[in-house]
Structure formats: structure tokens, C-alpha cells
Amino acid sequence: MVQSMSMSTLATSRYCGVCGAICLRRQFGKIKETTIGFGESQFIWNDRRKSSSFATNVDIIKPRCLRVQAGWLFKGGDKSSEANVERSENANEDILMFFFQLDLATRVQYALNVEQYEIAQQLREKLTEVESEVLRQQESRRGSASKSEAQDMAISILRLRADLQNAVQSENYDLAAKLRDDISKLEAESLTASLRAQAYENAQYAFRLGQKVNHKNFGYRGVICGMDPICCESTSWMETARVGKLTRGPDQPFYQVLVDVHTDPNLLVAYVPEESLVAPTEPDKDRFDHPYTSFLFFGMDAAGDFIPIKQLREKYNKPRHEVPYDSEDENSGESS
């Protein structure tokens, strides 16, 4: 399968910066389209505002709404795969926003290298805005927001209880009844938020970033590139994916999985429950193709798994994985 020039841009922009024509033209600006990947994978960054190239000046208007649409446009294979029920546009957008963050950081460094300090400052301001939004989304998904929300609710409950006591003392029983109902509702919401935050803090994952996996039901090969301790998708997505029929339901780890284009060319990024994944019984060192591996991973290790870049490990607060030392491999190498 031939890889397009746009994919080459995607793969190299993290290293060579934003020089000349290789820019991905993915600034916050007018509707722009860039073809990226194996076959034809189209990404549309949509924000109706003015735009400018790196070579001239930089649009530093505060970003309003950045929407990502991505999908495979493969010729052939008219029947949609059953695995499409686990397709996740939210997971895909999360990955592309991560790439956008990496790309902006590279542009800042390139501008500094060529002594374009004013442009570097403008890019850095835009990067700060993007990082703040990404951090907010991560905290919300990981339960930090839930923990803060639970604390705020606890304070509100204390205030309502004080108001309830005053209402009872003044014999305003209608107000007291209303306050009692409000307290009960807040206590239930606070418990839900606390449990959600606790689930994120105590999450245990069976798989790690960069690990190759197989889907138990659909059979495709995949690579883990993200994870949540519970299902963070919408109710409608969970209904389509039949999450309620899972043995462990939505309260189990869910993984962002890149699917090998050779095993399922119609599926870009899947959001898969832990119970549906299994690690290969033998090291999988076969070729694995997906357009996102070039900027999420350095390459494959000796066991055939992918090595996540530092920024990806930091995003999920995961340590570097070391491949176990195998003395038999060394002895066989010396013998040969």
C-alpha cells in the first residue's frame, strides 16, 4: 500500500519542524483539508476564522471550537465491519489533539532555532491555550474534575444543612422540606462523583501503552495508545456498542486501540473494553501499519511491542516499560 506525501509530512513534522511546504496547515483557521495516511484518510480542522502560514505571520486569535473529523476512505470492502460498533470519534479526536499539541511545540522550537522570536512567542501563546484545554479534558476524563466536584458538593451540603436547621427553628416547614430534598439529591451526586474519582485513582490496567493486542470477538490486531479506568463515552455510543451486555459492564478499563489497516482497513481507532482484548501468546513481531504510529511511538522493541514517546507516557502518567532480559537470545546470538 503506497504511503502519501501528506503522511510523510505527518511522520516528520515532529522532528523537522514547520519549514516551508511541509507544514500540515492545521492552524486554527479556515476550513482546511489534509490527506494523511494509508489509502485516503481525511482530516478536516474546522474553525471559521482567518488563517496565515508560518512563513508570514501567525493567527493568535483565541481558539473557539476545534472539531476533528477523521475516517478511512478505502476503495473496496463495501460491507462495514462488525467491529465498527467500537469505532470512537472521541478517541480519534483526542489522539489528533495530542498530535496538534506536539506539532505546535515543534513549531515553537523551530522558530527559536531560526531566531524568529516574535513568531515563537505567538506560537507559544497558542500552544499554552491548547495545553490548557487538553489538560482540562484530561482532568475531566481521569477524575480530577470529579474529585473537585465532590468537594464542592460537600461544601454545598454543609451550607444547605445550616439553612435547613434555620428553617426548622423558624418553623418554615415548606422551605425545610425543599432543602431536605436538595440535600438528598446533592448527596447522591456527590457519592457518584467520589466513586468516579476513586475509580481513576485506583485503576489497575491489564495492558500497557504500545502493547500489541488481539480482539477476542472481531479478531483484529491492535496497539494500545490510550486508556481510561471506566468507559468515558456517551450514553448513545455505549448503547450502540452494547456496553451494557458486557460481563463487567462500563465500570472496567477501556482502551484506545489503533487497528492494523491490514486486518481491518475500515476501522481507524477503536474504544475497547478490557474484557474484549487479549495479549498474543507469542511475541508479535509481524509488520503493523497505521498512520498514527509514526508520531505516537518510536518504533518496536525486541518483543514486537511499540515504544511510546515520552509525551504519551506523561499524558497517562505511565513509566517506561523495559523488555525483560532473555539470556537464551543472547546465547543463541553468540552461537550463531
Side-chain angles (χ1 to χ4, degrees):
M1 189 173 295
V2 180
Q3 191 171 0
S4 68
M5 178 61 71
S6 297
M7 181 56 211
S8 176
T9 299
L10 175 64
T12 58
S13 62
R14 182 162 61 89
Y15 305 104
C16 63
V18 290
C19 49
I22 72 164
C23 295
L24 289 181
R25 304 173 61 193
R26 295 170 59 251
Q27 300 289 347
F28 290 108
K30 298 178 181 178
I31 296 176
K32 296 182 179 180
E33 299 183 3
T34 302
T35 300
I36 301 175
F38 298 85
E40 300 173 358
S41 180
Q42 190 177 56
F43 302 81
I44 302 176
W45 296 82
N46 182 357
D47 191 22
R48 294 174 177 84
R49 277 173 293 120
K50 68 177 183 178
S51 63
S52 56
S53 66
F54 178 83
T56 55
N57 56 11
V58 180
D59 172 21
I60 57 173
I61 295 178
K62 184 177 180 179
R64 292 195 286 267
C65 178
L66 182 65
R67 179 172 179 79
V68 184
Q69 295 178 344
W72 292 110
L73 301 177
F74 277 86
K75 308 286 191 302
D78 295 335
K79 293 184 179 179
S80 60
S81 170
E82 293 181 0
N84 282 340
V85 297
E86 293 179 343
R87 181 197 302 273
S88 174
E89 294 301 329
N90 288 336
N92 184 57
E93 183 172 340
D94 180 64
I95 296 170
L96 292 179
M97 281 297 294
F98 177 69
F99 168 75
F100 189 33
Q101 187 178 1
L102 293 177
D103 186 57
L104 272 175
T106 302
R107 292 169 187 263
V108 171
Q109 187 59 53
Y110 179 81
L112 292 173
N113 291 344
V114 298
E115 300 182 354
Q116 295 283 348
Y117 300 116
E118 182 177 353
I119 292 178
Q121 180 60 31
Q122 294 170 342
L123 285 168
R124 186 179 286 110
E125 291 173 358
K126 182 177 291 186
L127 176 60
T128 300
E129 294 175 358
V130 174
E131 288 176 337
S132 298
E133 176 62 20
V134 170
L135 181 61
R136 185 192 66 79
Q137 293 178 359
Q138 289 178 358
E139 289 178 346
S140 178
R141 291 173 66 88
R142 294 185 181 185
S144 299
S146 297
K147 185 176 182 180
S148 176
E149 184 181 3
Q151 293 171 347
D152 292 341
M153 288 180 182
I155 295 174
S156 297
I157 291 172
L158 291 176
R159 291 173 179 171
L160 286 175
R161 284 176 176 169
D163 294 339
L164 174 61
Q165 184 176 1
N166 293 332
V168 172
Q169 290 176 351
S170 62
E171 298 184 356
N172 190 343
Y173 299 115
D174 290 339
L175 177 59
K178 181 180 181 303
L179 290 172
R180 192 176 292 109
D181 292 339
D182 292 341
I183 290 174
S184 298
K185 182 180 179 180
L186 268 180
E187 286 177 338
E189 294 176 353
S190 177
L191 178 60
T192 300
S194 298
L195 291 175
R196 181 181 177 87
Q198 187 177 8
Y200 275 80
E201 292 176 355
N202 302 328
Q204 298 292 327
Y205 298 99
F207 306 101
R208 64 180 184 277
L209 291 173
Q211 185 175 3
K212 286 183 179 176
V213 292
N214 295 323
H215 199 290
K216 292 180 180 178
N217 302 322
F218 305 132
Y220 62 70
R221 300 167 64 231
V223 171
I224 304 295
C225 68
M227 55 193 66
D228 295 313
I230 58 177
C231 183
C232 294
E233 271 287 358
S234 64
T235 302
S236 60
W237 184 94
M238 286 192 278
E239 290 176 353
T240 301
R242 300 186 289 275
V243 173
K245 295 183 178 181
L246 296 172
T247 303
R248 296 166 60 186
D251 297 327
Q252 62 175 305
F254 273 68
Y255 297 86
Q256 295 178 2
V257 179
L258 305 182
V259 181
D260 185 4
V261 298
H262 298 295
T263 57
D264 194 333
N266 299 308
L267 186 58
L268 186 64
V269 180
Y271 195 55
V272 189
E274 188 171 84
E275 69 179 65
S276 296
L277 297 174
V278 61
T281 55
E282 298 292 335
D284 182 359
K285 299 183 181 181
D286 293 339
R287 176 176 175 176
F288 185 97
D289 285 326
H290 192 286
Y292 294 175
T293 57
S294 60
F295 63 86
L296 292 175
F297 307 106
F298 289 117
M300 287 193 295
D301 59 24
D305 294 322
F306 280 86
I307 305 170
I309 62 173
K310 179 181 178 182
Q311 294 91 329
L312 185 61
R313 289 191 287 105
E314 291 175 344
K315 178 181 178 181
Y316 291 98
N317 193 28
K318 297 298 178 183
R320 180 175 177 177
H321 173 72
E322 299 291 344
V323 179
Y325 174 75
D326 193 341
S327 59
E328 293 184 1
D329 289 345
E330 183 177 357
N331 293 334
S332 63
E334 292 177 354
S335 300
S336 60

